[in-house]
């Protein structure tokens, strides 16, 4: 895609960029190296990590483990505030709902998937057939191998790959620093650089009650990267949109992103207000507020990117290259609605039409089926209870995808998690999202009237929370075990609400699948074919929260005329804390203040590189040529926020914790000699 | 409007509720009392205050004076943080851009205004004729009396009154407490109760370089109110919407409020993020952030109110009472669109039609003409420069209303204010509002393309701020003095931007005036006539930021089963600060911590009453039967947020600083004996 090869690319582990790495970096990516990448990389829920010892030790970001650490905490034992170090293996703390996945194999099933969809099929039939074959493939694979099996659409539907994962469900906390140093700078510094955060945590995977014994893991580098070194990043980038058509990107710019920003800002204002009431409320809302603020910032950056005429022009030029031959060189001056009317049978025109269709019901889809109107922890629980009753009696291939056999075990682990839910926070979240529903659809929309049930949003939220028994895991289990009869008989207001709107939600989901998802898959498959013909596999697929390899150079950048070095050092954290008056989020934990004299203040802390990452890469191991771990990726800078749509290395950087920072902190601050020794294989 | 007389009502000083007060409270509101109310009440920009000594001393809220106090501050002299007390009259600090207004007379000019509008006139002609007669009346009055003269539309156009004000433009700061105690609890406690804030400040009006000598002022009560006492509140409530039609209220609920909430949340997220970068940035953004957060909270409360079926039902019943006789008892079951189609010539139908028209261009109107797309301090300045060049050469009656002769002096005082403008904050505000513009209209809307001028919002904001000379008052004066030639020749990017969109902005303003404002005025005039016939003047007009009298009872209320007393005491402030860990905004200033031992901790601090207030009443004197000042109103509780639409005294309360709190603090904390003596007339 780039004429001069940049460091762009989140590459498939089954098809790594060997030639590119050889040409640009004189690096031989061997099959053995590729195999280790796969087997030593770990997928966390929505994020990444890596094995770092033969005894199942896993490193990731503190913010990736934060939910688990929070769930292990109590008012008497605040592990977020005070951190945690297991003094022995016996003292490692089991995390109730954590599941880790390790990729074992990749199989191309494109032909089998596409075979069930005939060109003359109606979209609804095609979507049903596709859903059935996906569930069948996954179910077969699960039965045959016992491994978690997911079929993933690559190139927006150009290829289908079956991924098989080994699952670890006995995962224990080994070490977490205090949140104050793990997230030093907090939401203020999120997407910013320079940074000085120790955003890492260690867990251990267990099998049969014993630490997992591993052949493949990343050795810890005690040196870390030098400036201009090649680095490799392995992990699970979540979503990019680089191969989407211009019509799709414009729809995101003009419809989806503005809606999502409005929603996140509404949530954020409420959560901030809630947090400020008391230290307890601040603690209760911390994780969800961070997640909302993080997405709001990321989406705002994306929108500014899509409003950049240069970026749109680049997208248009890329599309025109594929488009021109398709319409026999009748080169259009501009790829807009008119051209799609002149050539209505191109895949680009089909995608443009699906955006038009989507505009009519997207809000309803997101509010009702994604659940934006009922932003809470209880609502998805209530919905699973209601829907499992209806779906589980059906044949596997006919169920909604999230209830296919191969997904049930993981789903139940989440649904029956004993993690406590704060009723006061639930009420605040529900009030703001119920109000948001009315803001979006209008106070007299039938759905609004149904959901509010004759109450204003504040009273409705209070009723729902006060009346619901779903805070109790036993009640959830009772409902799921009881099936349709118990669900129908329930007078729990959350269950009643979900029951009342379930037909509407299913209807709009069907619209989405039939009018958008399936036509897009077919169109993108056609575009992918053209792209393969023109460019081969030189363009990797968009990110899909599956394992990818990125690479780049450890280096700094210039901003507003100032040169930022590629790494920071420990002393910068102390300096910044002092400069900002030692107020949150710039308070160093007491352990660091106490250890200051012992610390080598010139120890590298965080560093940046040009490697191509995105949300989901949090916790990604950053490796050197020898395959040793030199860092743990934890953020991008704000210049990298446009990476959803285009890669640039002018200023865009990812940010990682330096491997030496972890060693120095473990030894000098936390007296965690055994853990440091384990990392170094001693 | 209420069958059993509640404490509802923001009454005209020219028509006070004498009978009501006599009946309900056995209080004789004499003409002398009414005259004092008028001449001792002071209007601040957007707020209220009152004279409290014969030497021109004025009390208001600290948050009302905050802009002025901030402008008098510098990094070396932070009056917001440290407070201020003038040790002598010589040491009182002149506030560069403050103008106080004191009402001198009210004249009914309804007949003269309506005489120029003939029934057969087109809306555009009617609007022009109305604008001309208003400017003529004001201009005449100014010439004849030398007093600031404003014609105000009451009952949304049912009556027109000419208000004449004495202006004070030499206003000096006498005393301000530290913001930490003035706004104790900050935005967290805004619209909440119990409260413990000393939200007051003292200024002095000067004439000819000497303290103004006054006949009318409110004596300070050293006792304050007792529970269940009658209290009277005099001040300038800004806006209520109680007499608006159902169609208008639904438009607010479904269109205007959701838009405004989306906008304010976008601003708020940016301002919070900006504030968190450093203590300096926090200071720079504090006032605007408070104002945005305050409005966001207020609007959210209003929306929840309009989404309350009970409130809408009450509105519908009120409307039906007037509506029924109008359509000859053909009682409609529901006042909706259908009834307006069946009876298209009622004034309610006309207002419903104007909402439909408005929906088509309201966003453009608010973004462009109200300036929501360019949320900054520089933009209104640039616009005044551009528009004064075009407007001032026109005849007075033909100008845009804000440039009529009688308004120019006050306008120039603001336009040429030397108050500094922070360029970093301007850039952040512009970036977020330019992005918001694109979110609202779409990335390819011609207006968006014009405003962004080929740049993304971040770069465009940077360009505008870096290139503009309007930070400098001399440049503004040069442009205004130079008129059209200088404005046309200017290459200042802010001026160029405003010039580029001025035709579009004027066009959409014209749409608003012709399709909404004028038809609504005529329709509301018809409704007002019906209401006068049916109910006389027993229903006061909606608030219009003119002087009004409210009354009520000092009393507490119950919430979530808990009884809240009508007043708090000093010790509650110390207790709350300790409970919340003495972190912002719950840090008491050092002066209070130091004085704690000396203070009578049982001194009443803040109190609540049922009196009917709204935004604009900030700083309102709260009086007892003797006309003595017993409190300074500074807030409503959240139950009072629905007061825009309905009055209720079930839980809704306004909140005031107790007169004894001020005395005790002045004497024991601030050693301000002279000021305390002046208040007590010693």
């Amino acid at each position: 895609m780039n004429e001069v090869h940049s460091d762009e690319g989140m590459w498939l582990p089954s098809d790594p960029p060997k030639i590119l790495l050889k040409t640009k970096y004189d690096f031989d990516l061997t099959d053995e190296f590729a195999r280790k990448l796969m087997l030593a990389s770990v997928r966390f829920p929505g994020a990444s990590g890596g094995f770092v010892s033969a005894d199942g030790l896993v490193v990731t970001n503190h913010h990736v483990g934060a939910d688990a650490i929070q769930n292990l905490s109590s008012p008497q034992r605040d592990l977020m505030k005070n951190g945690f170090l297991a003094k022995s293996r016996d003292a490692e703390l089991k995390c109730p709902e954590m599941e880790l996945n390790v990729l074992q194999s990749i199989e191309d099933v494109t032909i089998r998937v596409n075979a069930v969809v005939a060109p003359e099929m109606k979209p609804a039939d095609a979507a049903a057939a596709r859903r059935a074959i996906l569930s069948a493939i996954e179910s077969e694979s699960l039965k045959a191998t016992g491994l978690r099996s997911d079929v993933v659409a690559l190139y927006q539907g150009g290829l289908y790959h079956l991924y098989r994962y080994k699952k670890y469900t006995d995962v224990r906390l080994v070490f977490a620093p205090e949140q104050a140093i793990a997230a030093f700078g907090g939401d203020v510094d999120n997407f910013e650089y320079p940074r000085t955060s120790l955003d890492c945590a260690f867990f251990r995977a267990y099998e049969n009650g014993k630490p997992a014994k591993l052949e493949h893991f990343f050795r810890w580098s005690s040196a870390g990267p030098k400036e201009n070194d090649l680095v490799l990043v392995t992990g699970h980038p979540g979503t990019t949109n680089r191969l989407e058509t211009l019509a799709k990107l414009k729809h995101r710019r003009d419809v989806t992103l503005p809606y999502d920003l409005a929603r996140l800002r509404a949530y954020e204002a409420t959560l901030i207000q809630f947090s400020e009431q008391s230290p307890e409320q601040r603690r209760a809302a911390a994780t969800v507020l961070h997640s909302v603020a993080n997405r709001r910032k990321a989406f705002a950056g994306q929108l500014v990117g899509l409003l950049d005429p240069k970026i749109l022009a680049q997208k248009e030029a890329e599309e025109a290259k594929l488009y021109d031959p398709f319409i026999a060189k009748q080169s259009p001056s501009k790829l807009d609605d008119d051209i799609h009317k002149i050539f209505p049978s191109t895949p680009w025109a089909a995608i443009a039409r699906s955006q038009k269709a989507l505009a009519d019901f997207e809000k309803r889809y997101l509010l009702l089926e994604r659940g934006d109107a009922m932003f809470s922890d209880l609502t998805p629980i209530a919905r699973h209870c209601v829907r499992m009753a209806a779906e589980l009696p059906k044949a596997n291939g006919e169920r909604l995808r999230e209830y296919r056999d191969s997904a049930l075990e993981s789903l139940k682990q989440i649904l029956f998690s004993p993690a406590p839910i704060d009723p006061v926070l639930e009420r605040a979240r529900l009030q703001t999202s119920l109000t948001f529903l009315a803001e979006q659809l209008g106070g007299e929309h039938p759905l609004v009237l149904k959901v509010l049930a004759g109450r204003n949003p504040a009273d409705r939220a209070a009723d729902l929370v006060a009346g619901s028994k779903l805070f109790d895991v036993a009640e959830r289990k009772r409902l799921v075990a009881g099936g349709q009869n118990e669900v129908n008989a329930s007078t729990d207001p959350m269950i009643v609400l979900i029951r009342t709107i379930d037909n509407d939600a299913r209807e709009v989901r069907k619209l989405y699948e039939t009018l958008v998802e399936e036509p897009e898959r077919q169109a993108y498959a056609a575009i992918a074919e053209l792209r393969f013909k023109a460019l081969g596999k030189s363009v990797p697929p968009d990110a899909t929260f599956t394992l990818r390899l990125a690479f780049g150079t450890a280096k700094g950048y210039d901003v507003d005329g100032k040169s930022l070095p590629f790494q920071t050092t420990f002393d910068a954290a102390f300096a910044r804390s002092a400069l900002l008056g030692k107020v949150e989020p710039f308070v160093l934990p007491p352990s660091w203040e106490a250890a200051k004299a012992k610390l080598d203040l010139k120890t590298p802390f965080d560093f940046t590189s040009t490697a191509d990452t995105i949300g989901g890469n949090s916790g990604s191991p950053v490796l050197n040529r020898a395959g040793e771990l030199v860092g743990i990726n934890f953020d991008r800078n704000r210049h990298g926020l446009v990476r959803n749509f285009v890669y640039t290395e002018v200023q865009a950087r990812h940010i990682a914790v330096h491997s030496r920072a972890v060693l120095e902190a473990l030894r000098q601050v936390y007296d965690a000699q055994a853990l440091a020794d384990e990392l170094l294989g001693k």
Side-chain angles (χ1 to χ4, degrees), chain A residues 358-369:
Chain A
L358 178 57
D360 275 345
F361 61 81
E362 185 171 26
K363 277 185 187 178
R364 264 189 301 144
Y365 174 70
L366 298 173
L367 288 162
L368 229 57
E369 178 63 17

Side-chain angles (χ1 to χ4, degrees), chain A residues 156-363:
Chain A
Q156 276 84 357
L159 292 179
Y160 291 87
H161 282 184
L162 169 61
Y163 282 69
R164 292 196 185 89
Y165 296 95
K166 175 159 184 170
K167 285 199 315 196
Y168 292 93
T169 52
D170 181 354
V171 182
R172 308 192 189 174
L173 178 63
V174 178
F175 169 77
E178 305 88 338
Q179 192 182 24
I181 188 66
F184 184 77
D187 280 341
V188 180
D189 278 357
N190 193 16
F191 298 124
E192 299 292 339
Y193 186 78
R195 291 285 277 288
T196 52
S197 303
L198 193 75
D199 193 354
C200 74
F202 290 93
F203 293 86
R204 194 182 303 281
Y206 279 70
E207 278 188 299
N208 307 316
K210 297 220 168 78
K213 287 294 167 198
L214 302 172
E215 191 185 338
H216 296 281
F217 61 91
F218 301 118
R219 290 192 189 281
W220 201 270
S221 163
S222 54
K226 285 194 300 295
E227 191 162 10
N228 296 320
D229 272 1
L230 166 68
V231 293
L232 301 138
V233 181
T234 175
H236 304 84
T239 307
T240 55
N241 317 89
R242 295 185 197 165
L243 302 184
E244 290 182 350
T245 69
L246 210 54
K248 184 83 189 172
L249 291 176
K250 287 182 179 178
H251 179 85
R252 288 195 187 281
R253 179 192 67 192
D254 295 339
V255 185
T256 314
L257 276 173
Y259 163 87
D260 271 323
L261 278 167
R263 174 177 64 91
L264 292 168
R265 290 172 188 142
Y267 294 173
E268 190 177 0
T270 294
L271 291 169
I272 288 176
Q273 192 170 315
F274 180 89
S275 296
E276 285 173 345
Q277 306 297 315
S278 72
E280 295 73 47
Q281 295 200 179
R282 182 178 299 270
R283 260 196 298 282
T287 325
V288 61
L289 173 55
H290 170 74
S291 139
V292 164
N294 179 59
R295 274 181 296 158
R296 191 261 307 156
K297 248 179 160 174
F299 287 0
Q302 288 176 28
L303 183 55
V304 168
L306 286 182
L307 287 168
D308 195 321
K310 287 196 303 290
I311 289 180
L312 266 274
Q314 178 184 336
K315 287 287 157 193
E316 187 163 349
E318 286 167 12
E319 188 159 316
K321 265 192 232 164
L322 292 176
Y323 196 98
D324 278 2
F326 196 86
I327 57 164
K329 301 285 175 195
Q330 302 200 33
S331 178
S333 64
K334 221 170 153 48
L335 299 176
D336 57 13
D337 246 24
D338 284 342
I339 194 73
H340 297 318
K341 274 174 202 146
I342 300 170
F343 303 102
S345 61
T346 71
W348 291 277
I351 291 172
R353 283 193 299 273
S354 76
Q355 305 321 300
K356 277 226 168 57
L358 178 57
D360 275 345
F361 61 81
E362 185 171 26
K363 277 185 187 178

